[in-house]
Amino acid sequence: MSVDSATVKRIAHLARIKLADAECAPLAAELSNLVGWIEQLSEVDTTGVEPMTAVIPIKLKWREDVVTDGQDTGGNVRDAVLSNAPAKGYGFFAVPKVIE
């Protein structure tokens, strides 16, 4: 599959990218090469190959899903968070009224 200048112009239009006519032909050649490379990759037989998310085997670290409310830090998280609030009341953030 090859990409022509009209296709490049269409893609540029959809991506809201302004291209001069002189820029379309080189981009068409580059995109054609890219599509050819992808077609070449699709010819590889991957039957029985497990999909992988990383090149090297990495195990994600898991933590227990436990609500602690800052007990690990030794303090009350709510007060610490509210200390940064510009306005607060009754233990909550106070915001301006938006509905009359």
Side-chain angles (χ1 to χ4, degrees):
M1 178 182 173
S2 65
V3 178
D4 58 358
S5 293
T7 304
V8 170
K9 287 179 184 175
R10 176 78 177 141
I11 293 170
H13 174 74
L14 292 173
R16 305 292 190 253
I17 298 172
K18 185 176 181 180
L19 286 179
D21 289 340
E23 296 173 308
C24 291
L27 284 175
E30 287 184 38
L31 287 174
S32 293
N33 288 338
L34 185 64
V35 170
W37 184 70
I38 292 170
E39 288 175 347
Q40 195 176 21
L41 282 177
S42 68
E43 295 173 2
V44 176
D45 183 18
T46 58
T47 305
V49 177
E50 290 288 325
M52 51 191 228
T53 57
V55 177
I56 56 175
I58 297 175
K59 291 256 181 189
L60 294 177
K61 297 178 182 177
W62 290 91
R63 62 171 174 76
E64 291 186 35
D65 191 14
V66 178
V67 177
T68 62
D69 193 24
Q71 295 172 359
D72 295 342
T73 58
N76 189 346
V77 172
R78 185 184 76 182
D79 291 340
V81 170
L82 287 176
S83 68
N84 295 325
K88 57 190 169 195
Y90 305 105
F92 297 99
F93 287 95
V95 295
K97 187 175 183 179
V98 293
I99 299 174
E100 294 297 328

